[in-house]
Amino acid sequence: MAVKTVWPIHHQCGHDQDHDLSEKRASERAGFARWLAGRDCAECWRISREAKETRASQGRFTEHSGHRAHRITLWERRSRMPHLEGSDKAIEWARRVRFDLLTAAYACVDTEDGFVVSVEEPAKSITSASWWIDQRDADPESLSELVLDAAGDCVTNTGSVSPY
Ligand SMILES: [Zn+2]
């Protein structure tokens, strides 16, 4: 059997991504795949590079928002939040909304387990940036209802969430 050309890589940032290694020599693919696994996925790499560039070009005036972007990125990695889909602008906005809503909702729940099951896991199946932007004024206490509702008929569900 030929050495596979598309390798599923589990990146250090926690995201899975398929990589086409057909341009590498067959004997070099496994080593390259290991090297890739020790790095961030393309999307996380782009996000952290942009955050750095923003900080560098705008200096201290945006220190606050740069810091916030960094906090959001860290939180997304820790909670293994999926990347969102939409235009760059929409994604940036939606990531802030998602972060604000989920951290606010976390403060409202009784137990961490309850939060994971009723908010965090269903939220992970919603990758539409526009959906998150639509919920920007939602009450954090009713977020669970919103995400469970959306997760129920979410076509982009990756299968990591049990069917509600
Ligand atoms: Zn990533």
Side-chain angles (χ1 to χ4, degrees), residues 42-58:
E43 186 67 14
C44 283
W45 182 81
R46 187 182 67 82
I47 290 167
S48 67
R49 191 195 51 177
E50 274 171 14
K52 264 186 220 134
E53 277 172 6
T54 306
R55 271 199 300 279
S57 65
Q58 297 175 346

Side-chain angles (χ1 to χ4, degrees), residues 125 150-158:
S125 68
D153 53 35
C154 193
V155 286
T156 55
N157 194 323
T158 55

